[in-house]
Amino acid sequence: ASKKTRRLLDKSKTFHVTCGVTICIFSVLHVAAHLVNALNFSENYNEEFLAINAANYRGEDPRKLLFATVPGLTGVIMVLVLFLMCTASTFAIRVSNYDIFWYTHNLFFVFYMLLMLHVSGGVLKYQTNLQEHPPGCFNPNKTSRQNLTEPKAFEELFPDYTTEPFPEDLPVPEPFVQKHFMRICSEEPKFQSHFPETWFWISGPLCLYCVERLYRYIRSNKPVTITSVISHPSNVLEVRMMKDDFEARPGQYVILHCPRVSALESHPFTLTMCPTDTKATFGVHIKIVGDWTERFRDLLLLHSNQDTEILPIFQQRRYPKLYVDGPFGSPFEEALNYEVSLCVAGGIGVTPFASVLNTLLDGWKCYKLRRLYFIWVCRDIESFRWFADLLCMLHNKLWQENRPDYINIQLYLSQTDGIQKIIGEKYQALNSRLLIGRPQWKLLFDDIAKCNRRKTIGVFCCGPNKISKILHKLSNSSNSYGTRFEYNKESFS
């Protein structure tokens, strides 16, 4: 797909949220209308319309219509399910307790099952004898004979009641004819419940969803082989794995499922190492920030504070079964398809760029990319050690190949406690690129635009929304150098 098409498809989460908000808005209107209907059925009960009255008698408690009927009870439960799904989808709930969001969001299946039952109560009805009893027709057996005095001439001209309208040349005032004698009913109105059609509209998408889930289950039903587990500073865990016939591109992500941690939960993690022609190993870096990641870490490590690599030849039997679903595409796959790319990471948001850097370490000449600006902002100095070795190896490789300008690395320490250098002599190349404070984004964009006149630069951001908004705004702003910035963003929040 083209870059514009891919960028549009990457908005699938935004589209999903928009659909959810739309459902909530129209559900409120739908429920409010039915509450008014229930009250009207009770207060305006009429024995002449028994077939279409939802109430059984005048003054019946409207709560019976809501809780003692199939449409009412299923509607109440659906409102409750929808309320739980919406409230648990808020950012505050997702961050504080992801389990609540996960389990309530999967209630959508209950919602759709109830939706198909919701219309099975027969409340919605249609008239089956419109020809014999057209709307607004004159019924001589009821109202008309009781309330109207018919002229004698009409009785002689129309002794039999038909469904045909009165002749236009009838010598009677036209308003009187239109009001009382447009048509004469030949029988009482008959009503029948609508056949439920909700299943017709829902079954297709649900079948597609079930087919996709089945395909993903088949694809990920074989556990991976965990080759090593490394505990990094600042509560970051690295897991390296192998899987038969697994292929992935830099920037993609996978979904991990560990039954011993949770039977239902699965979580996405960006690949920081992709399999290549020379090695089949792939890996992810996991920030320990919630219950799932904490339990997963405790299962993988013999001790939670372990800081060494566990060799599979000795400890493989201790690893729990881990299933990998994917890979899945992301905007960062395009980072290697620009001549110039600007990659901005905030904290653990560096993970999608790690796979790009790992790929460049194996070889950069086969890609379109010829210059990479890499900006990494962290709060503490220890966070840079997650990928310090990788950055140093890539830096040394490019210097040996006489391409020192291929990658421009800038590390920003937003909060300092007096330690301003990455510990270790082997990180000397990074120490010279370590800056204190936050980037001056406007000056940075102007400098990049000046050095790359009239070129299209891909901007990739994975970090806090505050940084993302600034970069998005600067990418859309014009400059005097004819340089164009195309913004791409990834977020799992």
Side-chain angles (χ1 to χ4, degrees), residues 152-432:
K152 187 175 181 180
F154 289 172
E155 296 179 356
E156 296 175 354
L157 290 173
F158 304 98
D160 298 322
Y161 301 107
T162 66
T163 60
E164 297 296 325
F166 279 80
E168 294 182 359
D169 58 346
L170 192 67
V172 181
E174 185 177 352
F176 185 86
V177 175
Q178 290 180 347
K179 184 176 181 181
H180 299 289
F181 302 105
M182 288 300 294
R183 278 195 171 185
I184 297 179
C185 314
S186 61
E187 62 181 43
E188 294 294 321
K190 298 177 182 179
F191 297 91
Q192 182 176 330
S193 298
H194 271 283
F195 182 77
E197 295 181 351
T198 306
W199 65 271
F200 178 77
W201 303 100
I202 295 179
S203 56
L206 279 182
C207 287
L208 287 176
Y209 175 80
C210 292
V211 168
E212 191 236 11
R213 295 299 300 183
L214 179 62
Y215 167 73
R216 288 176 56 183
Y217 173 78
I218 295 174
R219 182 175 64 173
S220 61
N221 66 343
K222 185 179 180 180
V224 298
T225 301
I226 300 177
T227 60
S228 63
V229 178
I230 307 172
S231 181
H232 290 287
S234 302
N235 284 330
V236 171
L237 187 70
E238 180 181 358
V239 183
R240 295 181 182 178
M241 302 158 280
M242 293 180 63
K243 183 181 180 181
D244 295 337
D245 301 325
F246 182 83
E247 297 180 359
R249 294 189 296 272
Q252 292 185 325
Y253 69 94
V254 294
I255 294 178
L256 301 185
H257 174 60
C258 183
R260 286 184 59 183
V261 177
S262 176
L264 298 177
E265 283 187 60
S266 301
H267 293 276
F269 295 97
T270 305
L271 288 169
T272 53
M273 180 187 297
C274 294
T276 62
D277 295 335
T278 57
K279 65 178 186 297
T281 305
F282 63 97
V284 296
H285 280 62
I286 302 172
K287 178 74 171 177
I288 312 300
V289 293
D291 297 339
W292 192 92
T293 53
E294 289 177 358
R295 294 194 298 267
F296 187 52
R297 175 198 59 190
D298 295 339
L299 285 173
L300 292 178
L301 297 180
L302 295 178
H303 305 286
S304 59
N305 60 352
Q306 183 170 340
D307 195 25
T308 58
E309 185 170 343
I310 303 175
L311 298 178
I313 189 172
F314 299 115
Q315 303 293 346
Q316 183 64 46
R317 62 180 182 178
R318 294 181 178 270
Y319 291 138
K321 285 187 177 181
L322 181 63
Y323 299 89
V324 173
D325 185 16
F328 298 94
S330 79
F332 297 112
E333 292 181 57
E334 296 292 334
L336 297 172
N337 295 331
Y338 287 90
E339 186 177 349
V340 181
S341 291
L342 169 61
C343 298
V344 180
I348 196 61
V350 71
T351 52
F353 306 120
S355 60
V356 175
L357 299 176
N358 264 309
T359 301
L360 295 177
L361 189 62
D362 291 336
W364 53 270
K365 296 182 180 180
C366 58
Y367 299 104
K368 183 180 179 180
L369 184 66
R370 289 296 174 264
R371 179 170 294 176
L372 173 65
Y373 293 89
F374 178 69
I375 315 296
W376 188 8
V377 184
C378 288
R379 291 184 178 182
D380 58 272
I381 195 73
E382 290 296 316
S383 299
F384 292 114
R385 299 188 65 179
W386 298 337
F387 299 103
D389 291 330
L390 172 61
L391 291 173
C392 287
M393 284 190 293
L394 182 60
H395 174 269
N396 295 333
K397 173 184 172 63
L398 293 172
W399 270 80
Q400 292 173 3
E401 296 179 357
N402 198 26
R403 285 303 306 268
D405 61 337
Y406 188 91
I407 182 171
N408 185 316
I409 301 174
Q410 297 182 28
L411 308 178
Y412 288 86
L413 184 62
S414 59
Q415 296 180 3
T416 177
D417 55 357
I419 303 176
Q420 299 180 8
K421 290 187 180 298
I422 302 177
I423 302 172
E425 289 296 329
K426 62 179 181 179
Y427 300 139
Q428 190 61 38
L430 299 184
N431 289 331
S432 61

Side-chain angles (χ1 to χ4, degrees), residues 144-152 154-155 176 181:
S144 297
R145 286 230 180 254
Q146 298 171 3
N147 301 332
L148 299 176
T149 303
E150 301 174 43
K152 187 175 181 180
F154 289 172
E155 296 179 356
F176 185 86
F181 302 105

Side-chain angles (χ1 to χ4, degrees), residues 95-149:
V95 172
S96 60
N97 196 321
Y98 190 86
D99 291 354
I100 295 177
F101 160 74
W102 177 262
Y103 288 111
T104 55
H105 222 63
N106 280 277
L107 291 175
F108 80 93
F109 203 81
V110 177
F111 181 88
Y112 281 121
M113 293 299 103
L114 291 173
L115 186 60
M116 286 189 281
L117 293 174
H118 185 58
V119 293
S120 62
V123 174
L124 297 180
K125 299 179 180 179
Y126 66 97
Q127 188 177 336
T128 58
N129 59 340
L130 287 174
Q131 291 294 327
E132 294 77 14
H133 188 104
C137 69
F138 164 57
N139 191 338
N141 296 325
K142 287 191 176 181
T143 308
S144 297
R145 286 230 180 254
Q146 298 171 3
N147 301 332
L148 299 176
T149 303

Side-chain angles (χ1 to χ4, degrees), residues 27-28 30-32 34-35 65-83 110-121 123:
S27 293
V28 170
H30 183 85
V31 170
H34 274 308
L35 291 176
L65 302 177
L66 297 178
F67 297 100
T69 61
V70 172
L73 185 59
T74 54
V76 170
I77 300 176
M78 279 196 297
V79 168
L80 178 62
V81 169
L82 191 61
F83 175 79
V110 177
F111 181 88
Y112 281 121
M113 293 299 103
L114 291 173
L115 186 60
M116 286 189 281
L117 293 174
H118 185 58
V119 293
S120 62
V123 174

